[in-house]
């Protein structure tokens, strides 16, 4: 029997690089780092209006990420942030699970640390108002303009 | 790597007619499937989770549409507790319910949003299982371990429930 006295919040990130020939390189971050912003937002939601919904997601690969939009952003090493073209899947099979998919292509960038990948709500000047999570691990990735990076990010809410 | 979990504790206390205060017990709560589901939904579209229309009286039955702590006695009658809320830290919310004036046995408690008639409060947290008790499930909790005597109160006693919801790292 599941212990229902607490609800856990975790997530994982799957990153796939597809080259021009269709070959794939995969990185799996099995346990992402949930940000304290999201922790606190859950309490704020009980107290008053606090919209953190990823309901205005990025729809391009622009730099900087458009203000007021939500989703996955990536940073060229030491330089500028880009938006990933995002789609979300609401909870379905597992009631508390949310899936966000981001796609990026056409620009050569280097993403070298986990802090250069972020899932957030309401970006402003390339910084989310509410950071949901970062990956915990990330490989050095030198993405070519001809390659496509696809990030599938799952945030889980579950009985723990 | 960092994960969080939402936990809740229920502190049960009583104030006697002479003003003497007594702590009766502290137990874990249960988290409803409705709440678990809404956490995910709220990340996709803005969903109402705000406890902002709190019960303001001790009534049988609780007022439709109001939020807060309600309980059922052993006859299945429901009552509202006068409920207040506080946000003492960024990751903690505390709901306090008080009840007096009626002799009751507090068979079960529920903390939830939007009471709709009897037994269908959209409960997020409860003492025994699914909030609102509309979805049967069998998990017992430490509330069930309390004796009937610990959950029985006279009309002159004032019962206080302090329900702490916390999001913690683990």
């Amino acid at each position: 029997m599941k212990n229902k006295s607490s609800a856990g919040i975790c997530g994982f990130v799957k990153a796939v690089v597809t080259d021009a020939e269709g070959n794939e390189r995969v990185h799996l971050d099995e346990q992402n780092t949930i940000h304290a912003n999201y922790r606190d937002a859950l309490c704020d939601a009980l107290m008053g209006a606090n919209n953190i919904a990823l309901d205005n997601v990025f729809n391009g690969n622009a730099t900087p990420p458009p203000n007021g939009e939500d989703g996955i952003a990536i940073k060229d090493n030491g330089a500028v942030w880009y938006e990933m073209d995002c789609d979300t899947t609401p909870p379905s099979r597992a009631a508390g699970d949310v899936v966000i998919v981001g796609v990026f292509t056409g620009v050569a960038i280097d993403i070298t640390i986990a802090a250069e990948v972020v899932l957030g709500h309401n970006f402003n000047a390339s910084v989310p108002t509410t950071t949901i999570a970062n990956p915990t691990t990330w490989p050095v990735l030198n993405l070519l303009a001809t390659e496509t990076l696809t990030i599938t990010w799952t945030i889980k809410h579950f009985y723990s | 790597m960092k994960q969080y979990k939402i936990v809740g504790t229920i502190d049960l206390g009583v104030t006697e007619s002479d003003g003497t205060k007594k702590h009766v017990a502290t137990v874990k709560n249960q988290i409803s499937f409705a709440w678990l589901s809404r956490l995910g939904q709220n990340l996709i579209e803005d969903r109402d989770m705000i406890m902002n229309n709190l019960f303001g009286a001790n009534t049988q039955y609780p007022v439709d549409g109001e939020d807060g702590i309600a309980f059922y006695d052993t006859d299945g009658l429901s009552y509202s507790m006068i409920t207040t809320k506080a946000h003492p830290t960024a990751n903690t919310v505390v709901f306090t319910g008080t009840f007096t004036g009626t002799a009751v046995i507090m068979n079960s408690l529920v903390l939830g949003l939007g009471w709709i008639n009897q037994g269908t409060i959209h409960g997020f947290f409860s003492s025994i299982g699914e909030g609102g008790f509309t979805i049967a499930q069998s998990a017992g909790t430490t509330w069930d371990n309390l004796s009937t005597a610990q959950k029985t109160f006279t009309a002159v006693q004032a019962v206080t429930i302090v329900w702490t919801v916390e999001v913690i790292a683990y």
Side-chain angles (χ1 to χ4, degrees):
Chain A
M1 180 183 299
K2 290 181 179 177
N3 178 2
K4 296 184 176 181
S5 64
S6 65
I9 305 159
C10 72
F12 55 90
V13 180
K14 181 180 181 183
V16 179
V17 174
T18 308
D19 67 19
E21 287 76 41
N23 301 309
E24 292 185 345
R25 312 195 301 276
V26 177
H27 169 72
L28 182 61
D29 179 56
E30 295 182 342
Q31 189 61 258
N32 73 189
T33 298
I34 300 290
H35 200 279
N37 278 178
Y38 186 46
R39 174 200 67 186
D40 297 345
L42 297 175
C43 286
D44 292 342
L46 289 171
M47 295 298 292
N50 185 46
N51 180 6
I52 56 168
L54 305 173
D55 55 2
N56 185 26
V57 295
F58 299 134
N59 59 0
N61 288 160
T63 183
N67 288 344
E69 295 190 4
D70 321 311
I72 303 170
I74 51 179
K75 187 182 183 184
D76 190 16
N77 184 24
V80 297
W81 286 90
Y82 292 84
E83 61 172 337
M84 299 190 77
D85 193 0
C86 289
D87 278 314
T88 58
T89 302
S92 54
R93 187 181 63 182
D97 293 0
V98 174
V99 179
I100 303 98
V101 177
V103 178
F104 184 85
T105 192
V107 182
I109 63 172
D110 300 327
I111 310 169
T112 58
I113 59 174
E116 292 172 346
V117 181
V118 64
L119 172 63
H121 174 261
N122 190 29
F123 277 73
N124 183 28
S126 297
V127 178
T129 303
T130 302
T131 301
I132 307 296
N134 296 100
T136 301
T137 62
W138 187 263
V140 174
L141 173 60
N142 305 116
L143 188 74
L144 304 177
T146 55
E147 294 179 321
T148 299
L149 170 64
T150 302
I151 291 179
T152 303
W153 205 314
T154 303
I155 301 292
K156 297 177 66 68
H157 307 86
F158 60 102
Y159 286 124
S160 60
Chain B
M1 177 178 75
K2 182 166 283 184
Q3 301 178 82
Y4 289 101
K5 65 179 180 180
I6 303 169
V7 298
T9 55
I10 304 168
D11 277 313
L12 170 61
V14 63
T15 303
E16 304 293 349
S17 56
D18 63 1
T20 305
K21 295 180 182 296
K22 182 174 67 177
H23 178 255
V24 177
T26 300
V27 302
K28 295 178 181 177
N29 74 186
Q30 292 279 282
I31 293 175
S32 77
F33 187 78
W35 167 247
L36 191 65
S37 177
R38 188 158 288 199
L39 289 174
Q41 293 164 352
N42 191 56
L43 197 52
I44 294 295
E45 59 183 53
D46 192 21
R47 302 296 295 268
D48 180 18
M49 298 196 291
I50 310 167
M51 306 284 285
N52 59 348
N53 188 23
L54 297 172
F55 295 132
N58 296 149
T59 60
Q60 180 207 353
Y61 300 95
V63 177
D64 279 4
E66 293 190 348
D67 318 321
I69 303 172
F71 69 89
Y72 288 81
D73 69 11
T74 50
D75 296 323
L77 299 174
S78 54
Y79 299 85
S80 58
M81 304 188 77
I82 296 172
T83 305
T84 60
K85 65 180 179 181
H87 198 8
T89 67
N91 62 320
T92 305
V93 179
V94 178
F95 297 92
T96 300
T98 56
F99 184 85
T100 192
T102 305
V104 293
I105 301 174
M106 285 190 163
N107 194 46
S108 60
L109 302 171
V110 63
L111 169 62
L113 175 71
W115 185 271
I116 307 172
N117 299 316
Q118 300 175 52
T120 53
I121 191 173
H122 293 201
F124 290 157
F125 308 90
S126 77
S127 66
I128 64 164
E130 289 294 344
F133 315 111
T134 56
I135 304 172
Q137 62 94 41
S138 58
T141 75
T142 50
W143 183 266
D144 294 340
N145 297 336
L146 300 181
S147 67
T148 300
Q150 287 177 296
K151 294 185 278 192
T152 300
F153 305 99
T154 65
V156 297
Q157 291 178 312
V159 185
T160 301
I161 296 289
V162 179
W163 204 312
T164 302
V165 178
E166 192 174 15
V167 188
I168 59 175
Y170 78 109

